[in-house]
Amino acid sequence: MRTFQAPKGTYDLLPPDSARYLAVREALALPARRAGYGYVETPGFEEVELFARGVGESTDVVTKEMYAFTTKGGDELALRPEGTASVLRAALEANLHKAGNLPVKLWYSGSYYRYERPQKGRYRHFSQVGAEAIGAEDPHLDAELVILADDGFRSLGLRDYRLLLNSLGDRKCRPAYRELLQEFLRALDLDEATRDRIEINPLRVLDDKRESVQKQLTGAPMMRDHLCQECRDYHERVRELLTIAEIPFEDDPKLVRGLDYYTRTTFEFVHDGLGAQSALGGGGRYDGLSEMIGGPELPSVGWALGVDRTVLALDEEDVRLDLAPPVQVYAVPLGEEARRALFSVVTELRRAGVTADFAFGGKGLKNAMKSANRSGARFALVAGERDLAENVAQLKDLESGEQAPVALDEVVSRLRSRLTLTTVREAQ
Ligand code: HAM
Protein backbone atom coordinates (compact mmCIF):
# COMPACT_ATOMS: atom_id res chain seq x y z
CA MET A 1 0.00 0.00 0.00
CA ARG A 2 1.39 3.46 -0.82
CA THR A 3 2.24 5.76 2.05
CA PHE A 4 1.93 9.53 2.22
CA GLN A 5 4.26 12.42 2.85
CA ALA A 6 3.74 16.08 3.66
CA PRO A 7 3.30 18.03 0.39
CA LYS A 8 6.38 19.61 -1.24
CA GLY A 9 7.50 22.78 0.51
CA THR A 10 5.74 21.89 3.77
CA TYR A 11 6.78 20.12 6.95
CA ASP A 12 5.14 18.82 10.09
CA LEU A 13 5.68 20.17 13.55
CA LEU A 14 6.04 17.34 16.04
CA PRO A 15 7.07 17.01 19.68
CA PRO A 16 9.55 17.75 21.07
CA ASP A 17 10.47 20.40 18.44
CA SER A 18 6.94 21.73 18.18
CA ALA A 19 7.25 23.11 21.73
CA ARG A 20 9.88 25.52 20.46
CA TYR A 21 7.61 26.78 17.69
CA LEU A 22 4.85 27.36 20.17
CA ALA A 23 7.21 29.23 22.47
CA VAL A 24 8.48 31.38 19.59
CA ARG A 25 4.94 32.23 18.52
CA GLU A 26 4.04 33.22 22.07
CA ALA A 27 7.20 35.26 22.57
CA LEU A 28 6.72 37.18 19.29
CA ALA A 29 3.11 37.99 20.14
CA LEU A 30 3.64 38.93 23.79
CA PRO A 31 5.01 42.47 23.28
CA ALA A 32 2.01 43.37 21.07
CA ARG A 33 -0.42 41.91 23.60
CA ARG A 34 1.27 43.96 26.32
CA ALA A 35 0.73 47.05 24.16
CA GLY A 36 -3.04 46.68 23.89
CA TYR A 37 -3.32 44.75 20.61
CA GLY A 38 -6.41 42.47 20.62
CA TYR A 39 -6.48 39.02 19.07
CA VAL A 40 -8.01 38.66 15.60
CA GLU A 41 -8.56 35.47 13.63
CA THR A 42 -9.72 35.46 10.03
CA PRO A 43 -10.45 32.56 7.64
CA GLY A 44 -7.60 30.73 5.92
CA PHE A 45 -9.03 31.77 2.56
CA GLU A 46 -10.57 34.91 1.10
CA GLU A 47 -11.86 36.17 -2.23
CA VAL A 48 -8.99 36.24 -4.74
CA GLU A 49 -9.84 39.82 -5.54
CA LEU A 50 -9.10 41.00 -2.02
CA PHE A 51 -5.47 40.01 -2.46
CA ALA A 52 -5.29 41.09 -6.12
CA ARG A 53 -6.43 44.57 -5.15
CA GLY A 54 -4.80 44.75 -1.72
CA VAL A 55 -1.42 43.09 -2.15
CA GLY A 56 -1.15 44.22 -5.78
CA GLU A 57 -1.80 42.70 -9.18
CA SER A 58 1.81 43.11 -10.25
CA THR A 59 3.42 41.40 -7.25
CA ASP A 60 4.93 37.91 -7.39
CA VAL A 61 2.80 37.05 -4.37
CA VAL A 62 -0.36 37.54 -6.42
CA THR A 63 0.71 36.60 -9.97
CA LYS A 64 2.89 33.57 -9.25
CA GLU A 65 2.47 32.41 -5.69
CA MET A 66 -1.20 32.38 -4.88
CA TYR A 67 -3.11 29.17 -4.24
CA ALA A 68 -6.23 30.31 -6.08
CA PHE A 69 -9.17 28.06 -6.82
CA THR A 70 -12.80 28.07 -7.91
CA THR A 71 -15.21 26.43 -5.48
CA LYS A 72 -18.02 24.08 -6.50
CA GLY A 73 -20.33 27.04 -6.01
CA GLY A 74 -18.28 29.16 -8.43
CA ASP A 75 -16.56 31.44 -5.89
CA GLU A 76 -13.04 32.57 -6.77
CA LEU A 77 -11.04 32.09 -3.57
CA ALA A 78 -7.38 31.95 -2.56
CA LEU A 79 -5.54 30.56 0.45
CA ARG A 80 -4.24 33.62 2.26
CA PRO A 81 -0.67 34.51 1.23
CA GLU A 82 -0.44 37.17 3.98
CA GLY A 83 -2.52 38.64 6.78
CA THR A 84 -2.80 42.40 6.33
CA ALA A 85 -5.49 42.50 3.64
CA SER A 86 -7.63 39.96 5.53
CA VAL A 87 -7.30 41.72 8.87
CA LEU A 88 -8.21 45.08 7.38
CA ARG A 89 -11.13 43.48 5.52
CA ALA A 90 -12.37 41.99 8.81
CA ALA A 91 -11.99 45.28 10.70
CA LEU A 92 -13.89 47.18 7.99
CA GLU A 93 -16.60 44.54 7.75
CA ALA A 94 -17.21 44.71 11.52
CA ASN A 95 -16.97 48.52 11.50
CA LEU A 96 -14.32 48.44 14.21
CA HIS A 97 -12.99 51.74 12.89
CA LYS A 98 -16.32 53.41 13.67
CA ALA A 99 -16.30 52.51 17.36
CA GLY A 100 -14.49 55.77 18.07
CA ASN A 101 -11.28 54.31 19.35
CA LEU A 102 -8.57 54.66 16.74
CA PRO A 103 -6.18 53.12 16.08
CA VAL A 104 -7.79 49.68 16.10
CA LYS A 105 -4.91 47.49 17.28
CA LEU A 106 -4.99 43.82 16.34
CA TRP A 107 -2.56 40.90 16.50
CA TYR A 108 -2.76 37.49 14.85
CA SER A 109 -0.92 34.26 14.40
CA GLY A 110 -1.47 31.55 11.87
CA SER A 111 -0.70 29.71 8.65
CA TYR A 112 -0.02 31.40 5.32
CA TYR A 113 0.43 29.87 1.88
CA ARG A 114 2.62 30.85 -1.05
CA TYR A 115 3.41 28.69 -4.04
CA GLU A 116 7.12 29.51 -3.97
CA ARG A 117 10.16 27.48 -4.98
CA PRO A 118 10.94 25.73 -1.70
CA GLN A 119 14.36 26.11 -0.11
CA LYS A 120 15.73 26.53 3.39
CA GLY A 121 13.60 29.18 5.09
CA ARG A 122 11.15 29.38 2.19
CA TYR A 123 8.12 27.14 2.41
CA ARG A 124 4.73 26.85 0.77
CA HIS A 125 3.06 26.72 4.14
CA PHE A 126 4.55 28.90 6.83
CA SER A 127 3.59 30.62 10.02
CA GLN A 128 3.49 34.30 10.89
CA VAL A 129 2.74 36.39 13.95
CA GLY A 130 1.40 39.77 12.89
CA ALA A 131 0.23 43.07 14.34
CA GLU A 132 -1.72 45.85 12.66
CA ALA A 133 -2.65 49.31 13.95
CA ILE A 134 -5.48 50.64 11.82
CA GLY A 135 -6.64 54.23 11.47
CA ALA A 136 -3.91 56.50 12.81
CA GLU A 137 -1.11 58.50 11.28
CA ASP A 138 1.40 59.06 14.01
CA PRO A 139 5.14 58.38 13.86
CA HIS A 140 4.94 57.12 17.45
CA LEU A 141 2.76 54.27 16.19
CA ASP A 142 5.29 53.28 13.51
CA ALA A 143 7.98 53.40 16.18
CA GLU A 144 5.83 51.40 18.62
CA LEU A 145 5.45 48.57 16.12
CA VAL A 146 9.14 48.42 15.29
CA ILE A 147 10.00 48.40 19.00
CA LEU A 148 7.48 45.61 19.69
CA ALA A 149 8.94 43.42 16.94
CA ASP A 150 12.45 44.07 18.21
CA ASP A 151 11.37 43.28 21.78
CA GLY A 152 9.96 39.96 20.56
CA PHE A 153 13.16 38.87 18.81
CA ARG A 154 15.33 40.09 21.66
CA SER A 155 13.25 38.35 24.35
CA LEU A 156 14.00 35.06 22.60
CA GLY A 157 17.72 35.74 22.91
CA LEU A 158 18.37 36.58 19.24
CA ARG A 159 21.23 39.01 18.66
CA ASP A 160 22.61 38.77 15.11
CA TYR A 161 19.87 40.51 13.22
CA ARG A 162 19.65 43.95 11.69
CA LEU A 163 16.77 46.34 11.16
CA LEU A 164 16.54 47.97 7.74
CA LEU A 165 14.46 51.12 7.45
CA ASN A 166 13.18 53.19 4.55
CA SER A 167 10.39 55.53 3.53
CA LEU A 168 8.45 54.97 0.32
CA GLY A 169 6.78 58.37 0.28
CA ASP A 170 3.08 58.97 -0.14
CA ARG A 171 0.56 59.64 -2.87
CA LYS A 172 1.82 63.20 -3.09
CA CYS A 173 5.50 62.62 -3.70
CA ARG A 174 5.69 59.06 -5.01
CA PRO A 175 4.14 59.58 -8.49
CA ALA A 176 6.75 62.17 -9.53
CA TYR A 177 9.55 59.99 -8.17
CA ARG A 178 8.10 56.97 -9.95
CA GLU A 179 8.27 58.78 -13.27
CA LEU A 180 11.81 59.89 -12.63
CA LEU A 181 12.83 56.33 -11.81
CA GLN A 182 11.06 54.98 -14.88
CA GLU A 183 12.95 57.40 -17.07
CA PHE A 184 16.23 56.25 -15.57
CA LEU A 185 15.36 52.55 -15.87
CA ARG A 186 14.14 52.75 -19.47
CA ALA A 187 17.64 53.76 -20.55
CA LEU A 188 19.19 50.58 -19.09
CA ASP A 189 19.99 47.29 -20.79
CA LEU A 190 17.38 44.96 -19.26
CA ASP A 191 15.52 41.81 -20.26
CA GLU A 192 11.92 41.94 -21.37
CA ALA A 193 10.33 40.84 -18.08
CA THR A 194 12.23 43.56 -16.24
CA ARG A 195 11.32 46.13 -18.88
CA ASP A 196 7.67 45.22 -18.30
CA ARG A 197 8.18 45.67 -14.60
CA ILE A 198 9.46 49.22 -15.18
CA GLU A 199 6.03 50.14 -16.49
CA ILE A 200 3.98 48.35 -13.82
CA ASN A 201 6.06 48.60 -10.66
CA PRO A 202 9.42 50.32 -11.21
CA LEU A 203 10.34 50.37 -7.51
CA ARG A 204 10.54 46.58 -7.54
CA VAL A 205 13.38 46.78 -10.07
CA LEU A 206 15.52 48.36 -7.35
CA ASP A 207 15.04 45.17 -5.37
CA ASP A 208 16.31 42.93 -8.21
CA LYS A 209 18.97 40.70 -6.70
CA ARG A 210 20.85 39.99 -9.96
CA GLU A 211 24.36 41.38 -10.19
CA SER A 212 23.84 42.40 -13.85
CA VAL A 213 20.89 44.58 -12.81
CA GLN A 214 22.38 45.92 -9.58
CA LYS A 215 25.49 47.07 -11.49
CA GLN A 216 23.38 49.31 -13.67
CA LEU A 217 21.47 50.82 -10.76
CA THR A 218 24.32 52.99 -9.54
CA GLY A 219 23.13 56.55 -9.73
CA ALA A 220 19.44 55.60 -9.85
CA PRO A 221 17.21 58.21 -8.23
CA MET A 222 16.28 57.15 -4.68
CA MET A 223 12.93 57.84 -3.05
CA ARG A 224 14.59 59.26 0.04
CA ASP A 225 15.97 62.15 -2.04
CA HIS A 226 12.53 62.91 -3.44
CA LEU A 227 10.30 62.78 -0.38
CA CYS A 228 7.93 65.69 0.14
CA GLN A 229 8.45 67.78 3.26
CA GLU A 230 5.68 65.98 5.23
CA CYS A 231 7.10 62.55 4.43
CA ARG A 232 10.61 63.69 5.23
CA ASP A 233 9.54 65.11 8.62
CA TYR A 234 7.49 62.02 9.39
CA HIS A 235 10.39 59.70 8.62
CA GLU A 236 12.82 61.82 10.60
CA ARG A 237 10.52 61.57 13.63
CA VAL A 238 10.31 57.76 13.32
CA ARG A 239 14.10 57.58 13.14
CA GLU A 240 14.41 59.82 16.20
CA LEU A 241 11.97 57.73 18.22
CA LEU A 242 13.84 54.54 17.38
CA THR A 243 17.12 56.15 18.36
CA ILE A 244 15.64 57.24 21.70
CA ALA A 245 14.39 53.68 22.25
CA GLU A 246 17.93 52.45 21.53
CA ILE A 247 16.86 50.35 18.56
CA PRO A 248 19.76 50.23 16.11
CA PHE A 249 18.69 50.52 12.48
CA GLU A 250 20.24 50.95 9.05
CA ASP A 251 18.82 53.29 6.44
CA ASP A 252 18.26 51.22 3.32
CA PRO A 253 17.04 53.40 0.43
CA LYS A 254 16.55 50.29 -1.73
CA LEU A 255 14.18 48.53 0.66
CA VAL A 256 10.90 48.34 -1.26
CA ARG A 257 9.30 45.07 0.04
CA GLY A 258 7.31 42.60 -2.04
CA LEU A 259 3.79 43.90 -1.47
CA ASP A 260 2.34 46.93 -3.21
CA TYR A 261 0.39 48.57 -0.41
CA TYR A 262 3.23 50.29 1.39
CA THR A 263 3.55 54.03 1.88
CA ARG A 264 6.05 55.97 3.99
CA THR A 265 7.69 53.79 6.67
CA THR A 266 8.88 50.34 5.57
CA PHE A 267 11.17 48.07 7.52
CA GLU A 268 12.59 44.59 7.54
CA PHE A 269 14.43 42.56 10.14
CA VAL A 270 17.14 40.50 8.46
CA HIS A 271 19.32 37.78 9.93
CA ASP A 272 22.74 37.32 8.41
CA GLY A 273 22.96 33.62 9.27
CA LEU A 274 19.97 32.65 7.15
CA GLY A 275 21.44 32.86 3.64
CA ALA A 276 19.14 33.94 0.80
CA GLN A 277 15.94 33.89 2.87
CA SER A 278 17.23 36.36 5.41
CA ALA A 279 14.06 38.30 6.27
CA LEU A 280 12.87 37.38 9.75
CA GLY A 281 9.96 39.78 9.48
CA GLY A 282 8.87 43.00 7.93
CA GLY A 283 6.17 45.57 7.60
CA GLY A 284 5.38 49.21 7.24
CA ARG A 285 2.71 51.80 6.73
CA TYR A 286 -0.13 51.21 4.28
CA ASP A 287 -2.12 54.42 4.25
CA GLY A 288 -3.99 53.68 1.00
CA LEU A 289 -4.92 50.01 1.47
CA SER A 290 -8.31 50.63 3.06
CA GLU A 291 -9.46 52.69 0.09
CA MET A 292 -8.05 50.09 -2.33
CA ILE A 293 -10.39 47.51 -0.82
CA GLY A 294 -13.43 49.77 -0.72
CA GLY A 295 -13.06 51.30 2.76
CA PRO A 296 -12.66 54.88 3.96
CA GLU A 297 -9.31 56.61 4.35
CA LEU A 298 -7.61 54.78 7.23
CA PRO A 299 -3.87 55.28 7.49
CA SER A 300 -2.41 52.16 9.10
CA VAL A 301 0.83 50.41 9.94
CA GLY A 302 1.82 46.86 10.86
CA TRP A 303 4.20 43.94 10.58
CA ALA A 304 4.38 40.19 10.23
CA LEU A 305 7.19 38.10 11.70
CA GLY A 306 8.06 34.68 10.31
CA VAL A 307 7.93 31.95 12.95
CA ASP A 308 9.74 29.34 10.82
CA ARG A 309 12.66 31.64 10.08
CA THR A 310 12.86 32.84 13.67
CA VAL A 311 13.30 29.22 14.76
CA LEU A 312 16.02 28.77 12.10
CA ALA A 313 17.73 31.92 13.37
CA LEU A 314 17.68 30.56 16.94
CA ASP A 315 19.38 27.39 15.67
CA GLU A 316 21.90 29.48 13.80
CA GLU A 317 22.81 31.41 16.95
CA ASP A 318 22.66 28.28 19.10
CA VAL A 319 20.08 29.81 21.39
CA ARG A 320 18.39 27.28 23.66
CA LEU A 321 15.00 28.33 24.90
CA ASP A 322 14.25 27.71 28.52
CA LEU A 323 11.19 25.53 27.97
CA ALA A 324 9.17 23.94 30.75
CA PRO A 325 9.25 20.13 30.51
CA PRO A 326 6.06 18.68 29.00
CA VAL A 327 5.19 17.06 32.34
CA GLN A 328 6.34 17.58 35.91
CA VAL A 329 5.10 14.35 37.44
CA TYR A 330 4.91 10.86 35.99
CA ALA A 331 2.78 8.25 37.77
CA VAL A 332 3.92 4.63 37.81
CA PRO A 333 1.24 2.29 39.20
CA LEU A 334 2.10 -1.35 39.89
CA GLY A 335 -1.01 -3.50 39.76
CA GLU A 336 -4.69 -2.90 39.13
CA GLU A 337 -5.54 -1.29 42.44
CA ALA A 338 -2.62 1.13 42.14
CA ARG A 339 -3.71 2.06 38.63
CA ARG A 340 -7.10 3.10 39.95
CA ALA A 341 -5.63 5.06 42.88
CA LEU A 342 -2.86 6.84 40.93
CA PHE A 343 -5.17 7.63 38.02
CA SER A 344 -7.30 9.65 40.47
CA VAL A 345 -4.20 11.33 41.91
CA VAL A 346 -3.05 12.31 38.41
CA THR A 347 -6.44 13.84 37.63
CA GLU A 348 -6.31 15.78 40.88
CA LEU A 349 -2.76 16.96 40.19
CA ARG A 350 -3.77 18.28 36.77
CA ARG A 351 -6.77 20.08 38.21
CA ALA A 352 -4.42 21.67 40.75
CA GLY A 353 -2.25 23.00 37.91
CA VAL A 354 0.53 20.40 38.02
CA THR A 355 1.31 18.82 34.66
CA ALA A 356 1.21 15.06 35.03
CA ASP A 357 1.26 11.90 32.95
CA PHE A 358 0.57 8.25 33.69
CA ALA A 359 2.13 4.94 32.61
CA PHE A 360 -0.62 3.68 30.33
CA GLY A 361 -0.85 0.19 28.90
CA GLY A 362 -0.01 -1.76 32.05
CA LYS A 363 3.79 -1.39 31.75
CA GLY A 364 6.08 -3.18 34.19
CA LEU A 365 8.21 -1.19 36.66
CA LYS A 366 11.34 -1.08 34.50
CA ASN A 367 9.58 0.05 31.36
CA ALA A 368 7.41 2.53 33.20
CA MET A 369 10.45 4.11 34.91
CA LYS A 370 12.11 4.41 31.51
CA SER A 371 9.05 6.29 30.26
CA ALA A 372 9.11 8.48 33.37
CA ASN A 373 12.73 9.43 32.67
CA ARG A 374 12.05 10.04 29.00
CA SER A 375 9.07 12.25 29.78
CA GLY A 376 11.33 14.88 31.32
CA ALA A 377 9.29 14.82 34.55
CA ARG A 378 11.00 15.96 37.71
CA PHE A 379 9.13 13.48 39.92
CA ALA A 380 7.90 9.92 39.57
CA LEU A 381 5.04 8.81 41.75
CA VAL A 382 5.31 5.06 42.24
CA ALA A 383 2.81 2.86 44.10
CA GLY A 384 2.34 -0.91 44.49
CA GLU A 385 0.04 -3.01 46.66
CA ARG A 386 2.18 -2.66 49.77
CA ASP A 387 2.19 1.16 49.45
CA LEU A 388 -1.56 1.26 49.02
CA ALA A 389 -2.02 -0.88 52.14
CA GLU A 390 -0.28 1.94 54.01
CA ASN A 391 -2.13 4.64 52.04
CA VAL A 392 1.08 6.06 50.58
CA ALA A 393 2.90 6.41 47.27
CA GLN A 394 6.67 6.69 46.78
CA LEU A 395 7.68 10.11 45.53
CA LYS A 396 10.96 9.87 43.65
CA ASP A 397 12.96 12.93 42.68
CA LEU A 398 14.28 11.90 39.27
CA GLU A 399 17.09 14.45 39.41
CA SER A 400 18.59 13.55 42.79
CA GLY A 401 17.31 9.97 42.94
CA GLU A 402 15.92 10.57 46.47
CA GLN A 403 12.76 8.71 47.30
CA ALA A 404 10.31 9.00 50.21
CA PRO A 405 6.78 7.82 50.97
CA VAL A 406 4.00 10.42 50.91
CA ALA A 407 0.45 9.92 52.18
CA LEU A 408 -1.89 9.63 49.19
CA ASP A 409 -4.10 12.48 50.34
CA GLU A 410 -1.06 14.75 50.72
CA VAL A 411 0.47 14.07 47.32
CA VAL A 412 -1.10 17.06 45.62
CA SER A 413 -0.22 19.66 48.26
CA ARG A 414 3.28 18.23 48.73
CA LEU A 415 4.00 18.24 45.00
CA ARG A 416 2.58 21.69 44.54
CA SER A 417 4.83 23.16 47.17
CA ARG A 418 7.90 21.21 46.05
CA LEU A 419 7.38 22.24 42.43
CA THR A 420 6.85 25.88 43.36
CA LEU A 421 9.97 25.76 45.49
CA THR A 422 11.97 24.27 42.64
CA THR A 423 10.79 26.88 40.18
CA VAL A 424 11.50 29.74 42.58
CA ARG A 425 14.95 28.37 43.34
CA GLU A 426 15.73 27.87 39.65
CA ALA A 427 14.63 31.38 38.83
CA GLN A 428 17.07 32.86 41.36
P1 HAM B 1 6.17 39.60 4.17
O1 HAM B 1 7.48 40.30 4.16
O2 HAM B 1 5.67 39.06 2.88
O3 HAM B 1 5.12 40.60 4.80
O4 HAM B 1 6.21 38.39 5.20
C1 HAM B 1 6.61 38.58 6.54
C2 HAM B 1 7.55 37.47 6.99
O5 HAM B 1 6.93 36.19 6.77
C3 HAM B 1 8.83 37.37 6.20
O6 HAM B 1 9.79 38.31 6.66
C4 HAM B 1 9.25 35.94 6.46
O7 HAM B 1 9.89 35.83 7.73
C5 HAM B 1 7.93 35.22 6.53
N1 HAM B 1 7.68 34.55 5.23
C6 HAM B 1 7.15 35.08 4.10
N2 HAM B 1 7.11 34.16 3.12
C7 HAM B 1 7.61 33.01 3.64
C8 HAM B 1 7.84 31.67 3.13
N3 HAM B 1 7.49 31.35 1.89
N4 HAM B 1 8.38 30.76 3.95
C9 HAM B 1 8.71 31.08 5.23
N5 HAM B 1 8.53 32.30 5.76
C10 HAM B 1 7.99 33.26 4.98
C11 HAM B 1 3.79 40.38 4.95
O8 HAM B 1 3.29 39.27 4.87
C12 HAM B 1 3.01 41.59 5.35
N6 HAM B 1 1.60 41.20 5.51
C13 HAM B 1 3.57 42.23 6.60
C14 HAM B 1 2.80 43.42 7.04
C15 HAM B 1 1.86 43.46 8.01
N7 HAM B 1 2.91 44.64 6.54
C16 HAM B 1 2.05 45.44 7.16
N8 HAM B 1 1.40 44.74 8.04
Side-chain angles (χ1 to χ4, degrees), residues 82 84 114 116 121 123 128 132 257 261-262 279-281 302 306:
E82 63 105 44
T84 311
R114 293 184 195 175
E116 300 202 72
Y123 310 105
Q128 285 184 344
E132 315 286 353
R257 314 245 321 114
Y261 48 62
Y262 291 111
L280 283 183

